[in-house]
Amino acid sequence: MAEEEKNNEIVRLDLTDSPRTIVKYKTGEDSDQLFGHIKNYPAVRSDIMMFIMANALQNKQKQIVFSPAQLKSFIGYRQSSSLKGFREAIHTIFRDLSTVGYETEEIDKDNHHHTVFRPFFSKTDIDTTTNTVTVQLGERAAQIFNNFSRSTQFNRFSLLQYFQIHSKYSKNLFRLLKEKRVYGHRSFLENELRESLSVPESYKQADVNRRVIKRAFVDLMPYFRDFSYEIIGSRSSDPTKYIFTWQREKRRQRDSFSDPDIPKLIACSNIMTNKLATDDEKCTAMDRYFRLTRGKYKKLQTNDPFAFLKLIYSDDFDESVVQDAKKTDPVVLKFLINKYQELKVNDKLTAEGLTTLTLLEAEAEKRRKAEAKFNDNLDLDGIPQNVEIDPVWKDNPSYTILSASKRLRPLELYDKNTINLILQRYVNALTKDSTNPKLLQDIGIITAYLQQLH
């Protein structure tokens, strides 16, 4: 097959085809220019662009086809809406998307300087008969989503989480904070924040604080654990600085789950355990996350402390879904236990709820003992060869996971002190068996991983 035919290969993505739910792109000048254009988009256009970006990953210049069903989902089309209005919306959105491009300064062989404009899309085709839209990335744009290596700087986040956020300022801030996901903090000077989020010049600082920052704090609370912000210098001659902090994420932290209810549980846990948010802010965050009318969750919670579970599981909720704690995130497990214990202390726990609490506590204790056993009885005999899971990092030993071992878990499950303890045990073992190739290899991996943490 010729190279041109390969580039024109069509990727058909319908709602039933399980399209990608992770946005991953190289950071740098090209992506900065791209987001410099689309940061002003309203939610619908921004979501469509992110959907394209998610499905462009590793697809080079293949064409991506939007079905009418997908477009109806994005645009919020209802049966009562006219077909003409739907077509006009498609035309308006994709006509604007087709104008996205890059500007670069280049020098030719004769030492002439050129300003070159390149389009993000090499093709945007709207079938006005079927309401199907086909887009194809330009060659330079496709580079943002292809050929990742261990030295590539990139950003990654959940497309579904991005969709869930309503405000364009909050969407842009979510993307920017995710660039520092493993650091747990990011700061902006006021001018930088205004430029990055495309805040109008007419907004005074008080408007920025109230309409952008406070709104974003509530909007992003579900997606960052222990999320908080601080405004420094707002009443002094120094430039105002905005500092956002959260519990730093692990490099391999999951952004998607086979069970769609797990992210919802994590979101509820992040909201309800945020110590810096007021009760009203938490309730507002729940309203926005579940798309309830303002004040709805506060009323639901008053009558039912487990209202959040019924919002997650709808009519399918019963105690059995909570009792199945083996699939639960450790932090969520602790969160659920605390919620049941609160009712127990206040003598409001039902007999079935007491059974659920007992099962959850048993699972937590089982995990605690397994962790303690591993830390106290690390067996260095017969440690298997390394197994690399993610091909993106195949050349980087610091990301190698010893997944075949029942004793040595992925390094990112442990804090730095524990990893140092494990390394010390390896070194001690090496003094007794200095030629053991497996010990030498594993020491190299752990050492490289620790260097990545600095």
Side-chain angles (χ1 to χ4, degrees), residues 117-161:
F117 300 92
R118 290 187 174 88
F120 185 79
F121 297 110
S122 61
K123 176 182 179 181
T124 306
D125 182 345
I126 303 174
D127 186 329
T128 55
T129 302
T130 63
N131 295 319
T132 299
V133 178
T134 303
V135 296
Q136 182 176 17
L137 271 65
E139 181 179 359
R140 180 157 182 155
Q143 295 175 7
I144 299 176
F145 311 101
N146 294 279
N147 303 322
F148 288 83
S149 69
R150 64 172 182 157
S151 60
T152 301
Q153 297 293 320
F154 65 87
N155 192 13
R156 188 192 77 204
F157 53 82
S158 165
L159 180 68
L160 300 180
Q161 289 180 347

Side-chain angles (χ1 to χ4, degrees), residues 282-300:
K282 292 177 182 180
C283 289
T284 301
M286 293 292 286
D287 286 338
R288 290 179 185 169
Y289 182 78
F290 287 104
R291 302 193 177 186
L292 305 174
T293 57
R294 187 171 183 177
K296 178 70 173 178
Y297 185 75
K298 190 171 186 178
K299 294 179 181 178
L300 293 175

Side-chain angles (χ1 to χ4, degrees), residues 30-270:
D30 285 346
S31 57
D32 287 346
Q33 288 194 48
L34 169 62
F35 288 110
H37 184 93
I38 67 174
K39 67 185 178 183
N40 295 303
Y41 281 177
V44 171
R45 296 185 196 183
S46 181
D47 289 349
I48 289 177
M49 177 61 85
M50 285 299 178
F51 182 88
I52 294 172
M53 293 176 69
N55 290 285
L57 179 63
Q58 306 295 2
N59 276 329
K60 298 185 178 179
Q61 287 180 264
K62 295 177 182 178
Q63 296 180 25
I64 300 174
V65 179
F66 284 83
S67 71
Q70 278 179 325
L71 294 172
K72 288 178 180 178
S73 175
F74 276 117
I75 296 172
Y77 175 79
R78 293 176 173 79
Q79 294 295 330
S80 58
S81 304
S82 68
L83 183 59
K84 180 181 178 181
F86 177 55
R87 287 176 176 170
E88 288 178 351
I90 293 174
H91 187 271
T92 300
I93 289 170
F94 281 91
R95 180 178 59 187
D96 186 57
L97 292 182
S98 67
T99 66
V100 179
Y102 303 91
E103 177 181 332
T104 59
E105 300 296 326
E106 301 177 8
I107 303 176
D108 63 19
K109 61 181 181 180
D110 297 321
N111 203 33
H112 292 178
H113 291 253
H114 298 263
T115 299
V116 181
F117 300 92
R118 290 187 174 88
F120 185 79
F121 297 110
S122 61
K123 176 182 179 181
T124 306
D125 182 345
I126 303 174
D127 186 329
T128 55
T129 302
T130 63
N131 295 319
T132 299
V133 178
T134 303
V135 296
Q136 182 176 17
L137 271 65
E139 181 179 359
R140 180 157 182 155
Q143 295 175 7
I144 299 176
F145 311 101
N146 294 279
N147 303 322
F148 288 83
S149 69
R150 64 172 182 157
S151 60
T152 301
Q153 297 293 320
F154 65 87
N155 192 13
R156 188 192 77 204
F157 53 82
S158 165
L159 180 68
L160 300 180
Q161 289 180 347
Y162 188 86
F163 285 173
Q164 197 79 16
I165 303 167
H166 293 240
S167 164
K168 74 172 186 178
Y169 303 127
S170 299
K171 280 180 178 287
N172 285 326
L173 184 59
F174 172 82
R175 172 179 57 81
L176 292 170
L177 296 185
K178 280 295 183 179
E179 291 181 359
K180 304 293 184 181
R181 56 188 292 164
V182 299
Y183 296 96
H185 61 86
R186 183 162 190 175
S187 60
F188 303 86
L189 293 177
E190 183 178 359
N191 289 342
E192 181 187 5
L193 184 80
R194 286 177 177 271
E195 172 63 23
S196 299
L197 304 186
S198 192
V199 178
E201 292 183 5
S202 60
Y203 275 31
K204 297 179 180 179
Q205 185 177 326
D207 296 322
V208 174
N209 295 349
R210 178 175 57 86
R211 302 175 66 175
V212 178
I213 303 302
K214 288 187 177 181
R215 169 68 188 256
F217 173 60
V218 173
D219 286 344
L220 304 188
M221 205 186 301
Y223 314 113
F224 296 92
R225 190 160 288 159
D226 298 331
F227 187 53
S228 65
Y229 71 93
E230 184 178 4
I231 304 174
I232 298 177
S234 59
R235 296 184 179 180
S236 67
S237 58
D238 297 329
T240 301
K241 188 175 185 179
Y242 297 88
I243 303 174
F244 300 90
T245 59
W246 60 93
Q247 186 180 116
R248 68 190 189 105
E249 300 178 12
K250 298 173 182 176
R251 292 185 183 275
R252 290 182 176 272
Q253 182 159 314
R254 296 177 64 183
D255 287 311
S256 63
F257 297 82
S258 57
D259 182 351
D261 294 324
I262 294 298
K264 297 176 185 177
L265 272 173
I266 294 174
C268 291
S269 170
N270 288 345

Side-chain angles (χ1 to χ4, degrees), residues 11-20 55 65 67 70:
V11 180
R12 292 195 175 276
L13 298 166
D14 204 340
L15 289 174
T16 57
D17 289 340
S18 299
R20 294 181 187 271
N55 290 285
V65 179
S67 71
Q70 278 179 325

Side-chain angles (χ1 to χ4, degrees), residues 383-407:
I383 293 177
Q385 295 296 319
N386 309 322
V387 178
E388 177 55 52
I389 292 180
D390 188 348
V392 170
W393 301 105
K394 62 183 178 182
D395 298 324
N396 189 347
S398 67
Y399 287 91
T400 301
I401 291 182
L402 302 175
S403 60
S405 174
K406 293 182 179 179
R407 291 175 293 279

